[in-house]
Amino acid sequence: MRGGGHRRRLSDEFGSDSDAEENGGGNPTRTMKCVSCREEYASSDAGTCRECYEEASETEEELKREIEDLKAKVAFLRFSSWTPHQHQRPTPPCFTDVVLVASDDDSPVPVPAHKAVLVASPVPVPPSRRGDAMLKTVGSLDLMQKKKSPASRSPVFRAMLENEMEESLSGTVKISDVSYDALRAFVNFLYTAEACLDEQMGCDLLVLAEKYQVKHLKTYCEKFMVSKLNWENALVSFAFAHQHNAKNLADSALSLIMDNMDKLRKREEYAELVDKDPRLVVEIFEAYLSKQVNTAAHKDSLSKP
Amino acid sequence: MRGGGHRRRLSDEFGSDSDAEENGGGNPTRTMKCVSCREEYASSDAGTCRECYEEASETEEELKREIEDLKAKVAFLRFSSWTPHQHQRPTPPCFTDVVLVASDDDSPVPVPAHKAVLVASPVPVPPSRRGDAMLKTVGSLDLMQKKKSPASRSPVFRAMLENEMEESLSGTVKISDVSYDALRAFVNFLYTAEACLDEQMGCDLLVLAEKYQVKHLKTYCEKFMVSKLNWENALVSFAFAHQHNAKNLADSALSLIMDNMDKLRKREEYAELVDKDPRLVVEIFEAYLSKQVNTAAHKDSLSKP
């Protein structure tokens, strides 16, 4: 909440260093009406002054306007990977120049796409927005690039399609270990920045995002999977996250595991993990040990005079 | 601002129907400390209760998170119409399949682009998000389309390029009455949803947006031009807005003109407008007359007992 926009000094009749005393001093049953909820409250429950309330309301309106603007921008920029047609089923997009196929399928259905979308470069951020005073006066695009070259939507597709590799020459990108549905959702994300996830699709797309280095999709899937974490799936998620370099998911799963160390060894997946990847189990115990040491040190420092 | 989240009834000792009395009743010099700006205030300047302050702060945090998410989405979806390269000048994008040229130039520089981007369809809004309970249980894409077919990024480019018209066959779209810079900015907007505007570029892009039916760009330019309106450019803007069906700009300009009717006839552009398009001048006077009649009627209703 913004504040500090005004500087009004009132008589300090009841002032002291303690908030509680200041807000509640004197007569705590004196009531005021809150300008927001219209309920009455005692001075001990006071929140803001009227001016800060008005500033906060303005800020909220501004933020809401910004959200509307951004939503309109997103709606303009997303584009349907399948062309909708009135009165008939959607048809594949026009002017496609590449197809993706799930190579494990016996009779794979190709997913058509545009090379331009698969390799799209994000727009470089102008120096002034990066708060880079040095570059502000120069501002030429090539100088910006020297500072930091923005990654492609998928650097892997870019390498495949911009060079004379098999995929570029044949116009077909084969993708292994993926279902048609996941492939379709993956391509769709590259056009829309959205995906309809369940736990399986979250995993499938995270794997593809990691493989094709689509950073935004990886973050998107990790967020979803973190929101679905529970004690039942924590160990599996931890192992999965490790396998696919999903640091946020690994950290969240680890934290959940450490909160339930007493139950850890009873879980079936635990025995499996010891068997398959004991180093991960070691990591859990090491993290737990560090946490215990830190907690003990903290308690110790508090108990000292 | 959200409120109403809590229902606390305090003793109504000082309660009355008037806010001023309630907030300022009793001892107006009693001070509290605002939890936002940390300044002291008297009960007559009270804003919110503490609970509403906390709710509002949470709301603000949520809105800021939403803005961050939307910004990340925009950054992912925008794509550079020119490919940046490390240590060298940006190069034209890869896999382009059409060029646009400013046909009035003697030696026009072509602006390469992707047909897919020029004709891109927005993603249809799923029925549930449109709050359409009828369709919620059906949810198939073709049914959605029957409800409302979303417009293309530019329906005009779509008609040109998807059918066997000259532009589609030659791969060249000639655009008249436009400078190379404006054409480049126009194409860039289709990739990024952003443009660097000054007053001239605002006009140029609004004209192109109207001609090629790029609705989002038209709104973007109108917003900018409304922000630049002043008495000096009001008449010219009003005429321009009329010519290009820019209703928001026309309304804002008209409103500014009506606030300065006493100075209207002294302006040079006024005589020009009477000469060139007298119907527009009639519109101004008619609007002014309506406003006067309404104001008089309002005053009249207030003066009656």
Side-chain angles (χ1 to χ4, degrees), chain B residues 292-304:
Chain B
Q292 276 196 322
V293 171
N294 285 340
T295 311
H298 183 64
K299 272 188 192 159
D300 206 35
S301 74
L302 287 181
S303 66
K304 275 181 190 159

Side-chain angles (χ1 to χ4, degrees), chain A residues 63-277:
Chain A
L63 293 174
K64 283 182 178 167
R65 272 195 298 275
E66 194 176 346
I67 287 175
E68 284 314 304
D69 283 353
L70 284 165
K71 281 185 176 170
K73 216 174 241 192
V74 167
F76 178 77
L77 287 171
R78 293 165 70 194
F79 61 104
S80 182
S81 55
W82 287 67
T83 310
H85 272 285
Q86 210 134 14
H87 309 305
Q88 63 194 57
R89 289 212 153 269
T91 55
C94 292
F95 315 122
T96 57
D97 49 8
V98 65
V99 292
L100 294 90
V101 291
S103 62
D104 303 334
D105 270 9
D106 288 333
S107 49
V109 183
V111 178
H114 302 92
K115 287 179 185 174
V117 173
L118 305 190
V119 309
S121 297
V123 178
V125 181
S128 58
R129 292 210 210 151
R130 293 211 307 259
D132 191 332
M134 279 282 287
L135 279 172
K136 255 184 191 164
T137 47
V138 182
S140 80
L141 200 58
D142 47 352
L143 243 168
M144 272 190 269
Q145 298 320 312
K146 278 184 196 164
K147 185 82 181 165
K148 194 191 167 197
S149 176
S152 164
R153 206 169 285 188
S154 162
V156 178
F157 282 136
R158 160 156 284 185
M160 274 183 190
L161 297 170
E162 282 191 3
N163 302 307
E164 290 205 347
M165 288 172 75
E166 193 198 322
E167 293 82 1
S168 168
L169 299 172
S170 67
T172 301
V173 179
K174 289 179 189 161
I175 298 194
S176 54
D177 303 319
V178 68
S179 68
Y180 171 77
D181 285 345
L183 178 58
R184 179 89 193 263
F186 177 57
V187 172
N188 196 52
F189 188 89
L190 295 170
Y191 285 78
T192 63
E194 277 189 13
C196 187
L197 299 183
D198 57 22
E199 295 188 30
Q200 182 59 46
M201 189 59 90
C203 291
D204 290 352
L205 291 189
L206 193 146
V207 172
L208 285 168
E210 170 65 6
K211 192 168 166 188
Y212 292 94
Q213 296 177 31
V214 186
K215 211 171 148 189
H216 188 61
L217 176 57
K218 194 169 162 190
T219 309
Y220 187 91
C221 294
E222 273 195 87
K223 252 190 202 170
F224 174 80
M225 292 179 76
V226 166
S227 79
K228 294 289 171 193
L229 269 181
N230 57 45
W231 174 236
E232 299 299 312
N233 64 24
L235 263 174
V236 173
S237 299
F238 180 65
F240 174 82
H242 253 274
Q243 201 181 345
H244 301 286
N245 301 312
K247 193 173 176 328
N248 289 333
L249 180 58
D251 288 349
S252 301
L254 183 60
S255 163
L256 187 60
I257 293 166
M258 286 198 294
D259 290 343
N260 294 276
M261 285 302 272
D262 51 326
K263 297 183 274 175
L264 178 64
R265 290 174 59 196
K266 292 171 205 145
R267 289 206 70 86
E268 208 175 300
E269 305 92 349
Y270 174 77
E272 282 170 26
L273 198 60
V274 172
D275 195 40
K276 268 171 49 186
D277 199 346

Side-chain angles (χ1 to χ4, degrees), chain B residues 164-176:
Chain B
E164 291 205 347
M165 288 171 75
E166 192 199 323
E167 293 82 1
S168 168
L169 299 172
S170 66
T172 300
V173 179
K174 289 180 188 160
I175 298 194
S176 55

Side-chain angles (χ1 to χ4, degrees), chain A residues 10 45 50 73 80 121 194, chain B residues 45 50 73 80 121 194:
Chain A
L10 296 165
D45 285 318
R50 190 179 287 259
K73 216 174 241 192
S80 182
S121 297
E194 277 189 13
Chain B
D45 285 319
R50 190 180 285 260
K73 216 174 239 190
S80 179
S121 298
E194 275 188 15

Side-chain angles (χ1 to χ4, degrees), chain B residues 19-32:
Chain B
D19 277 15
E21 269 182 55
E22 276 180 56
N23 284 340
N27 179 357
T29 60
R30 177 173 301 278
T31 59
M32 281 153 292

Side-chain angles (χ1 to χ4, degrees), chain B residues 174-246:
Chain B
K174 289 180 188 160
I175 298 194
S176 55
D177 302 320
V178 68
S179 67
Y180 171 76
D181 285 345
L183 178 58
R184 179 86 195 264
F186 177 58
V187 171
N188 197 52
F189 188 89
L190 295 170
Y191 285 78
T192 63
E194 275 188 15
C196 186
L197 299 182
D198 57 22
E199 294 188 30
Q200 183 59 47
M201 189 59 89
C203 291
D204 290 351
L205 291 188
L206 193 146
V207 172
L208 284 169
E210 170 66 7
K211 191 167 166 190
Y212 293 94
Q213 296 176 31
V214 186
K215 211 171 148 189
H216 188 62
L217 176 58
K218 193 169 163 190
T219 309
Y220 188 92
C221 294
E222 273 195 86
K223 252 190 202 171
F224 174 80
M225 292 178 76
V226 166
S227 79
K228 294 290 172 192
L229 269 180
N230 57 44
W231 174 237
E232 299 300 311
N233 64 23
L235 263 174
V236 173
S237 298
F238 180 65
F240 174 83
H242 253 273
Q243 200 181 344
H244 301 286
N245 301 312

